[in-house]
């Protein structure tokens, strides 16, 4: 979807979904206007899904310093590493399971022999689009829907979903490691806001490090998975608020209430719907989302992290947006790509780098 032209300061629409990368999303078609009278119930639904608007803040002052391009690289962590990739697929290790999933950016040939790829526990077949559905094939034996995993000291469930995902996005390990370090070094309880939080691994990493966490996702199913992960990781008493709500509505309300956060993670989808039909298009709504996030950063904020995936754009598009959003705040904006490096069968043999996402991160210094 191409970005609509918008003049500086013009109002921006802002529906948003917490559904993560295709999971639990409804149709990808935009809402159609109603041309005839509708029953009261449907009218109420249309009103709930109406676009939320507020003007973009006019920012003054110098733009933050910049560091570009920045490549944040992971060789894996805990129970995950990327074994090999090629021919449009990736071979991964998730705990005891060796898994094959589609990967459009793996244009090269696999490094490891065919028999290594054949000895897998699960392979995703079907639609290879990021938001497409398909099914899992289990060559050896039927596997259950979930299995226990551990990353950065946090236990959670891996999960075979119909959207090729497994309940965690390991490219985020670099952001979670950074966040963990900031929380542990702060000398005070940091308040962390995790928008589009999916199954809660980032929230659990933050809470285990000592943060007070607010986790927001529009999918009730994802919130349920996150609570299961909380129980598995023995963090039942950790200060985590699980909020099932449209992300944009939530942050706008936090802005009105004057609530602030020290770290904000936001990992929005390209397209999504909120629980009441709110519509999110990244190119249309991201400027307002970042603008509101700027407003709810605390005076002693530690960072604002944005990740974008499955979009046809350069990292410079979100980099320059972040710098404009953070005018007058000082600090530095660092932007680039998240990559996962192949680590071989043993998890310790670095090879090729596989790009996964674009990112931009503002830090105060």
């Amino acid at each position: 979807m191409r970005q609509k032209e918008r003049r500086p300061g013009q109002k921006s629409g802002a529906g948003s979904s917490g559904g993560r990368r295709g999971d639990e999303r409804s149709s990808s078609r935009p809402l159609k206007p109603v041309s005839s009278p509708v029953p009261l119930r449907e009218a109420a639904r249309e009103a709930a899904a109406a676009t939320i608007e507020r003007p973009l803040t006019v920012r003054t002052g110098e733009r933050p310093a910049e560091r570009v391009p920045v490549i944040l690289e992971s060789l894996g962590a805990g129970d995950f590493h990327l074994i090999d990739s090629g021919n449009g697929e990736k071979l991964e290790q998730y705990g005891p399971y060796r898994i094959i999933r589609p990967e459009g950016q793996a244009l090269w040939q696999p490094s490891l022999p065919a028999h290594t790829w054949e000895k897998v526990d699960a392979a995703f077949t079907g639609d290879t689009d990021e938001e497409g559905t398909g099914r899992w094939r289990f060559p050896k034996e039927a596997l259950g829907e979930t299995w226990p995993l551990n990353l950065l000291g946090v236990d959670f469930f891996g999960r075979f979903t119909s959207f090729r995902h497994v309940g965690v996005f390991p490219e985020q390990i670099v952001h979670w490691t950074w966040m963990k370090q900031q929380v542990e070094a702060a000398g005070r309880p940091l308040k962390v806001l995790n928008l589009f939080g999916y199954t809660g691994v980032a929230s659990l990493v933050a809470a285990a490090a000592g943060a007070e966490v607010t986790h927001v996702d529009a999918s009730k199913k994802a919130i349920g998975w996150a609570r299961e992960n909380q129980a598995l990781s023995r963090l039942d008493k950790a200060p985590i608020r699980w909020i099932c709500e449209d992300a944009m509505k939530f942050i706008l309300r936090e802005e009105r209430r004057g609530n602030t956060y020290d770290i904000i993670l936001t990992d929005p989808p390209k397209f999504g719907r909120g629980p009441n039909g709110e519509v999110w298009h990244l190119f249309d709504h991201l400027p307002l989302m970042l603008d509101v996030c700027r407003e709810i950063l605390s005076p002693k904020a530690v960072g604002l992290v944005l990740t974008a995936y499955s979009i046809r754009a350069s990292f410079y598009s979100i980099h320059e947006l972040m710098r404009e959003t953070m005018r007058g705040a000082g600090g530095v904006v660092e932007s680039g790509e998240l990559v996962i490096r192949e680590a071989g069968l043993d998890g310790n043999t670095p090879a090729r780098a596989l790009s996964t996402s674009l990112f931009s991160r503002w830090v105060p210094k």
Side-chain angles (χ1 to χ4, degrees):
M1 176 177 177
R2 289 180 292 180
Q3 186 172 0
K4 296 181 180 178
E5 295 182 358
R6 184 179 295 116
R7 296 185 299 276
Q10 182 176 344
K11 292 184 177 181
S12 171
S16 61
S17 165
R20 185 67 166 84
R21 307 195 188 196
D23 294 78
E24 292 302 295
R25 289 182 188 167
S26 54
S27 169
S28 60
R29 300 173 184 172
L31 295 177
K32 296 182 179 180
V34 179
S35 57
S36 57
V38 295
L40 290 178
R41 181 177 298 177
E42 187 173 346
R45 187 182 302 114
E46 290 290 330
T51 303
I52 304 168
E53 297 183 355
R54 84 143 169 76
L56 289 171
T57 306
V58 178
R59 305 288 179 187
T60 59
E62 295 294 323
R63 297 195 300 165
E66 61 179 336
R67 283 199 289 265
V68 290
V70 176
I71 306 299
L72 296 182
E73 177 183 312
S74 171
L75 192 63
D79 288 340
F80 165 80
H81 70 270
L82 174 64
I83 300 171
D84 192 17
S85 60
N87 290 338
E89 294 181 318
K90 53 188 174 183
L91 179 64
E92 303 166 292
Q93 192 76 41
Y94 285 95
Y97 298 146
R98 189 180 299 178
I99 294 172
I100 293 176
R101 294 192 293 156
E103 178 48 69
Q105 296 200 72
L107 304 177
W108 44 83
Q109 295 294 309
S111 294
L112 298 177
H115 66 79
T116 301
W117 284 71
E118 292 168 358
K119 295 177 181 178
V120 296
D121 299 284
F124 185 85
T125 61
D127 197 325
T128 59
D129 183 76
E130 182 72 26
E131 298 180 6
T133 58
R135 65 184 182 85
W136 289 91
R137 178 174 59 86
F138 303 106
K140 297 179 180 178
E141 60 180 346
L143 301 177
E145 182 187 6
T146 65
W147 71 100
L149 290 170
N150 182 284
L151 284 179
L152 302 180
V154 166
D155 295 317
F156 62 97
F157 286 110
R159 189 178 301 266
F160 295 111
T161 75
S162 61
F163 291 90
R164 79 176 179 174
H165 305 306
V166 293
V168 64
F169 297 95
E171 65 269 21
Q172 297 290 330
I173 290 170
V174 287
H175 286 324
W176 300 343
T177 300
W178 168 84
M179 174 184 63
K180 183 175 185 288
Q181 292 169 346
Q182 302 305 311
V183 172
E184 291 174 342
R188 61 185 174 95
L190 296 186
K191 293 179 64 178
V192 173
L193 174 60
N194 186 15
L195 296 174
F196 308 95
Y198 193 44
T199 58
V201 180
S203 298
L204 296 173
V205 169
E212 299 175 3
V213 183
T214 299
H215 172 109
V216 181
D217 198 287
S219 166
K220 290 182 179 179
K221 190 171 184 179
I223 293 289
W225 292 353
R227 288 184 175 277
E228 291 177 13
N229 289 337
Q230 182 183 23
L232 183 65
S233 59
R234 300 169 300 282
L235 290 169
D236 305 80
K237 296 182 179 179
I240 305 175
R241 289 195 300 160
W242 303 105
I243 309 292
C244 184
E245 188 175 2
D246 175 79
M248 186 67 81
K249 282 186 175 180
F250 176 81
I251 60 174
L252 284 167
R253 189 172 67 250
E254 292 293 88
E255 180 185 27
R256 291 192 299 269
R257 292 176 174 176
N259 293 333
T260 60
Y261 298 87
D262 300 300
I263 295 176
I264 300 178
L265 304 178
T266 180
D267 188 18
K270 179 172 59 177
F271 172 86
R273 288 184 186 269
N276 293 309
E278 301 91 346
V279 178
W280 164 269
H281 286 288
L282 187 134
F283 287 120
D284 289 343
H285 301 142
L286 185 59
L288 180 59
M289 169 161 281
L290 280 186
D291 192 55
V292 178
C293 285
R294 160 78 188 268
E295 293 300 307
I296 61 175
L297 282 172
S298 72
K300 295 183 178 180
V302 175
L304 169 59
V305 180
L306 166 68
T307 307
Y309 52 88
S310 296
I311 62 171
R312 294 181 179 179
S314 163
F315 73 83
Y316 268 111
S317 61
I318 59 175
H319 173 73
E320 298 296 359
L321 174 61
M322 183 71 82
R323 292 187 76 204
E324 290 295 329
T325 301
M326 300 306 295
R327 272 187 181 272
V332 61
V333 172
E334 48 192 17
S335 307
E337 297 189 25
L338 303 184
V339 303
I340 296 178
R341 190 165 292 278
E342 296 171 349
L345 285 170
D346 62 1
N348 293 300
T349 306
R352 297 168 299 201
L354 180 65
S355 178
T356 61
S357 312
L358 309 179
F359 84 94
S360 186
R361 179 169 69 190
W362 172 84
V363 292
K365 59 181 179 179

